[in-house]
């Protein structure tokens, strides 16, 4: 199979869905004439026209409100938020309106709206351009959250997100956009809510998603040569969550580490840890570990940023800690 | 479309008046939960505006928007049942007064967040333009809402894309308890709207014919690809901001009384003459019966509370 | 001691701080001429003038940005957000700016800014006026979160919040505003980060805050007559957290239930549960329970809302479950 | 305050030019992290505007705002060290290029979120009015930022409270890659600003004297209690939006070339004559030495990363 980048894989999914369903259209900043800050929408305006690939003013609250209205009027809008950090200027549209409309309408209104955004750190983009804010969207009910880690999953999950009848937040990680991988041509769907066991193992379960999957892969590989057998699970979507895969894995290994890049307090790590101990208390041989960003804003300088975000060495240490081994 | 008759306007306005009277009673007796935002004194704006719309046109309104919802043609029974939290309500009791939806009548929602429904209508109008189906969208909001950033963003985009939208601003002189001169650097709202590049016009909001006329013109402009229009309807809420506000601590009794005398229902009744009373009585009866039906409707099954987050 | 309401207690704290420090001022909607939607600022304009008690347009993002600038210029602004639900229109100012400024400036800038807001359900205010969004403010570092449950604590914590050199979100619960209680006259301070053990107990620890404290009180009382000894802890502030009190209690009872009104996913319950199992795994005799709102928007109808929010009967059931008793 | 001399303006502008040249080299060689937003071609606006301010006046600027920071009097060494993530930087390496703070020079922050710094300056100006200390606040933002709701809210409030604020809008014809006519319903920005109830004026942003003059007038107005002013400075970014954008895919080479010929440094150098070269050389040297010093400064202690969330 040919290799393409994560960004190209997203581009393919968008093109495929735009071709397939005339009710799909895109709206966002610099996505049409320029082709997107990260080239994710490259060439789409040329193919589908300015009517379906729409450049907007710097008005995130405005264009997300429009996307909601368009969805209610029967379209399947895909809105691009250039950085997930900018979601905060549009949070009322996202959490008070887009997320709640289906429920508030007693089911009468459907909101098939995908928000494609880009987030994450490790690039010196500092406190306002490095966040992974998925937890905010998980806390307030009504929006699905999808976090692919490979080009193939990006394509399959983005197509599935656009076809979903609900609001979906699709998060690209800035460190993944140029990552290359094998990606099926043509139609490719990965259902929302299905985790992927990257490597089966018996000693400890590592649950992760998005860019930290790549970091964990390296660590797990390395540890296997020391006889540590890690079951590495890429969650792929955080809402819906693939609870079956999680619980099967925990029931097998009895030890769990959750790795993510966002902050710890009220984040995904504590969310999963609490649910696991609630459901599978007697299965646990050790406290569930969480390896996440420290609870400080993301600093700029390289030496500071790498102190705050998960690194391979901190992940390795955390795995060994969960296993009760000397670090 | 011809302008509706005076009788027809009065019927619409009297229905809203009757509805609010019934709701006030229900609220006072504790049978209606939460806060209740009344539109007494403002009845002519929804009546006039919605008469210029087709059922397929789009609408968003506010917590004070039940008059628009009814005038747009949504079922009185469905609205009342929703306001009373019944299983037969438009949203099966989940939405409540502030969250009325009826897609079959183009109603994309009333909203509890000031200004938040404005973008939705602009987006629906975008689809109307894409599909060249001749629909327009109307969004109603208050003089206070115009200070919310979202409204500004949405107005600019409607003008930019030349979308068929009517921005109907009900200027009732107050946002909650704050008068315009304490919330606007410049109280001339038309200047602000026209600065985005759209027509902006003021109208006597207490005259349904005049409201109908300007909205009709804006609708025609929108349908023919001429882009958005901003309409400032001058009106006055003759009651408090919500059920717990008497409305008298920040306005003089004289001011309120003057507007009461000038109320759209009074004005229109005088114009119609003796027949007015009959129309009003009929509306009262119609609404009263609907209230009885709604009160007798079943409560939602509690289990439904936990369902329906996702489609 | 005289009894006054929660709202009056807040009013006293505001008046006290405004008298004490001329750099304190207030800004918000309908707080000056009208005296506040919930009467919390009643009479303050008359006493301190329009210059210090400032009515604003409906521009939450605008006036919170102004409050940040005023804090940087040396004032101690107190901004009122009428409903916590409306924080979402101002989230960029709160989370990207107010919360991050001190850290991003390397400590050079201080932001002594208090946001007083009101939240919570049980009143038929429906999906956009019933939320308790504290978790969002705990996830993104940089803002303290204070959640009093009694009039006396409201006064003491509000004074402490205003004197704190950092951004603080102070949450009043709509069900508490009219609650009466004994409140000290004059200066009264309750330090941020100190939990209050309302009732000592030996069988199970219940951690809670804000309005659900009142619900838990009733349940705990009732259970004590059945011989169940609950240690009821009012956390009072969620950041900073009084970890010492929590860990002492867990070490004593070995069983924990966390009760809160907001949603479960990425909420305060999972946050505390995960931290407790991480730190005190061997102390736990049973899975930590969480009794919270269901993960659905808050519905309007009475029978639906009470199905979604914690009730005394659900709290009772959850306590017994944590104790392994038949329910 | 007298207008600075041409030489003094050129020195300021050449310093910015030299800084950006050095930063470009550092970025290309990988010694500078993250994205780099250059202001080449726009040097006259910060030079002219900040000359009209006192050190105690307030300022917020954008990701492209380092020229303002320097012209406001902040230390070149502190700025450079911060941009390079050094312990000696204004923010000890935590903030970086987009987050420069220096309260001792009234700098309340540059900002990475479009439009987000506007409210801060309005708030600082509010305190100046409260304390009657005669200070003013200036906030600079782009033609694109004016479409952000927050900016609208803040402008209305500055007008409402009659605060001493200068809203300086650098109209460089593009927001990232989008020209005004594809983002504004009405490209006349003065109409929008004046609709809030404030003076609005356009100026040639490539002439530091003219910029100085209008800003000075606005400052005087603010200091004397006359409220805010909006200034649209017409200018052009002769480079890409940021280091990874050549700036040529959405603009013609002719357009860029025309503005390059018309660049403020070229224009001012021509006016000054032969002495200009010397001034520019001196600035180059000054900046180069500062860069060397910054590069030689210590990196922050990693442990500090986990400290300082709260005061
Ligand atoms: C974002 C937001 N801020 C504040 C409120 C509280 N609030 C509800 S109605 C209202 C006044 C709105 O005034 P206006 O727009 O003039 O409409 P009117 O109520 O007069 O019809 C306010 C401030 C809200 N619902 N949403
Ligand atoms: C809220 C928000 N949306 C989008 C961006 C991404 N962005 C950074 S700069 C920029 C363009 C700003 O244009 P303008 O205001 O004209 O200023 P200029 O860059 O031309 O100086 C955009 C869209 C952002 N930083 N913040
Ligand atoms: Mg009003
Ligand atoms: Mg620009």
């Amino acid at each position: 199979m040919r290799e393409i980048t994560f960004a190209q894989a997203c581009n393919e999914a968008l093109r495929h869905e735009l071709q397939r369903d005339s009710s799909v259209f895109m709206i966002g900043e610099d996505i049409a004439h320029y082709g997107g800050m990260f080239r994710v929408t490259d060439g789409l305006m040329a193919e589908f026209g300015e009517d379906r690939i729409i450049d907007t003013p710097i008005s995130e609250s405005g264009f997300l409100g429009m996307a909601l209205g368009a969805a209610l009027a029967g379209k399947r809008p895909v809105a691009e938020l250039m950085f997930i950090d900018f979601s905060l200027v549009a949070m009322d549209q996202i959490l008070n309106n887009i997320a709640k409309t289906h429920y508030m309408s007693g089911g009468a209104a459907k909101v098939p709206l995908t928000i494609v955004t880009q987030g994450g750190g490790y690039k010196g983009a500092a406190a306002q351009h490095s966040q992974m804010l998925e937890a905010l969207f998980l806390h307030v009910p009504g929006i699905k959250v999808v976090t692919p880690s490979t080009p193939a999953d990006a394509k399959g999950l983005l197509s599935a997100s656009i076809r979903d009848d609900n609001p979906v937040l699709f998060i690209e990680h800035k460190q993944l956009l140029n990552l290359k991988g094998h990606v099926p041509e043509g139609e490719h769907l990965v259902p929302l809510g299905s985790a992927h066991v990257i490597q089966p193992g018996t000693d400890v379960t590592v649950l992760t998603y998005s860019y930290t999957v790549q970091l964990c892969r390296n660590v797990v590989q390395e540890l296997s040569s020391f006889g540590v057998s890690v079951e590495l699970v890429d969650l792929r979507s955080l809402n819906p969550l693939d609870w079956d895969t999680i619980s099967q894995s925990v029931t097998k290994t009895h030890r769990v580490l959750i790795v993510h890049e966002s902050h710890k307090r009220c984040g995904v790590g504590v969310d999963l840890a609490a649910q696991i101990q609630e459901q599978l208390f007697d299965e646990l041989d050790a406290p569930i570990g969480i390896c996440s960003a420290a609870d400080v804003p993301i600093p700029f300088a390289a030496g500071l940023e790498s102190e705050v975000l998960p690194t391979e060495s901190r992940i390795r240490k955390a795995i060994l800690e969960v296993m009760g081994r000397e670090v | 479309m011809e302008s509706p008759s005076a009788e027809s306007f009065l019927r619409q306005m009297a229905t809203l008046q009757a509805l609010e009277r019934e709701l006030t009673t229900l609220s006072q007796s504790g049978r209606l939960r939460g806060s209740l935002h009344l539109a007494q004194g403002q009845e002519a704006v929804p009546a006039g505006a919605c008469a210029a719309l087709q059922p397929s046109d789009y609408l968003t309104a506010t917590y004070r928007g039940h008059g628009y919802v009814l005038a747009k043609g949504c079922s009185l029974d469905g609205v009342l049942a929703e306001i009373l939290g019944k299983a037969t309500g438009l949203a099966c009791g989940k939405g409540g007064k502030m969250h009325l939806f009826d897609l079959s009548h183009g109603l994309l929602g009333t909203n509890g967040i000031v200004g938040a429904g404005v973008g939705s209508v602009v987006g629906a109008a975008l689809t109307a333009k894409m599909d060249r189906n001749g629909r327009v969208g109307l969004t109603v909001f208050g003089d206070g809402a115009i200070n919310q950033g979202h409204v500004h963003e949405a107005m600019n985009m409607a003008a930019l894309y030349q979308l068929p939208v009517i921005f109907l601003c009900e200027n009732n002189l107050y946002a909650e308890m704050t008068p315009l001169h304490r919330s606007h650097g410049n109280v001339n709202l038309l200047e602000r709207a026209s600065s985005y590049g759209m027509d902006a016009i003021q109208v006597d909001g207490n005259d349904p014919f005049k409201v109908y006329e300007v909205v009709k013109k804006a609708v025609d402009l929108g349908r023919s690809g001429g882009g958005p229009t901003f309409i400032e309807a001058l009106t006055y809420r003759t009651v408090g901001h919500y059920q717990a506000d008497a409305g008298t601590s920040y306005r003089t009794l004289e001011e309120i009384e003057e507007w009461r005398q000038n109320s759209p229902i009074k004005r229109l009744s005088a114009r119609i003459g003796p027949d007015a009373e009959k129309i009003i009585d009929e509306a009262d009866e119609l609404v009263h019966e609907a209230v009885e039906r709604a009160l007798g409707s079943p409560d939602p099954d509690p289990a439904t509370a936990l369902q329906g987050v996702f489609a």
Side-chain angles (χ1 to χ4, degrees), chain A residues 29-30 58-60 82-83 86 89 129:
Chain A
E29 290 160 21
D30 290 309
I58 312 174
S59 301
E60 287 82 0
M82 201 185 292
F83 282 71
F86 310 158
V89 300
H129 283 73

Side-chain angles (χ1 to χ4, degrees), chain B residues 142-144 170 172 174-175:
Chain B
D143 49 284
E170 291 182 327
N172 61 6
Y174 295 84

Side-chain angles (χ1 to χ4, degrees), chain B residues 33-34 82-85 92-99 111-114 144-145 147-148 175-178 182-183 241-242 245 249-250 300-302 304-306 309:
Chain B
R33 307 189 79 205
E82 188 57 37
I83 291 180
L84 289 167
C92 313
K94 282 180 173 172
K97 277 188 316 294
M98 290 209 259
H99 307 297
N111 212 304
I113 306 294
V114 165
N147 291 323
Q148 189 67 214
E176 287 188 349
M177 297 75 189
T178 300
R182 278 215 312 276
S183 51
H241 165 66
Y242 73 133
D245 166 38
S249 71
Y250 49 95
D301 174 358
T304 61
L306 305 182
V309 177

Side-chain angles (χ1 to χ4, degrees), chain A residues 96-140:
Chain A
N96 273 338
N97 289 282
I98 291 169
K100 295 186 185 4
T101 288
H102 179 67
Y103 184 92
M104 286 198 302
S105 72
K110 273 192 214 163
V111 184
L113 157 56
T114 304
I115 302 175
V116 174
T117 189
Q118 175 273 136
Y122 299 95
K123 286 211 139 180
Q128 291 177 339
H129 283 73
S130 301
Q131 296 172 92
M132 280 291 283
L133 297 171
E134 66 279 11
L136 305 186
F137 304 91
L138 294 168
H139 181 63
V140 176

